[in-house]
Amino acid sequence: MASIRAPLRFKRTILFGDCDPAGIVYTPRFTDYALEATHQALNNVFGEPAIRAMHALNILTPVRATNIEYLSPITWDDEIELLVCVNHVGSRSYTFSVAATKSDKTVFDATITFVCVCAKQKQTIPIPQQVRDKLNLLTIKGS
């Protein structure tokens, strides 16, 4: 696997269907953009679809909390860059930070916290070491 260096960067073009009649992105789509970016970051460090890899370990990772600060509107056909890193790894949960920029201007900042749950018992569980090791690849060193 190639060396991973946080934050990971992903580009996305805003689609016409993501916008309201005024051409501004619908508010709920920001959550989708942030969530998709966290999945892509995990896919990169797992080297395969991360959700499938976690399911194979009998782990579910529901979202426990989200927070998004909307800083500037974006419209269809805009290209944004999403910067993704893990900013906290706890015993049973982990938190991603996602910042979206357009032309070097931040358009939104988000945090998403996931919790590890046993797929069979539906109870929270400690983050397995092999998952923790992957999450640590997405932390910014020295922070």
Side-chain angles (χ1 to χ4, degrees), residues 101-122:
T101 62
K102 181 183 103 177
S103 304
D104 295 323
K105 180 178 182 180
T106 303
V107 294
F108 74 85
D109 281 318
T111 58
I112 302 178
T113 300
F114 298 85
V115 64
C116 286
V117 171
C118 174
K120 293 179 181 173
Q121 298 171 339
K122 306 297 190 273

Side-chain angles (χ1 to χ4, degrees), residues 33-77:
Y33 300 158
L35 188 60
E36 290 166 4
T38 66
H39 290 172
Q40 185 61 48
L42 284 172
N43 292 349
N44 282 11
V45 297
F46 273 85
E48 63 180 311
I51 293 173
R52 285 191 190 132
M54 297 250 212
H55 282 200
L57 297 170
N58 291 312
I59 300 169
L60 304 175
T61 56
V63 171
R64 190 189 75 187
T66 60
N67 183 55
I68 300 179
E69 186 174 6
Y70 309 98
L71 303 169
S72 181
I74 48 179
T75 61
W76 69 278
D77 230 15

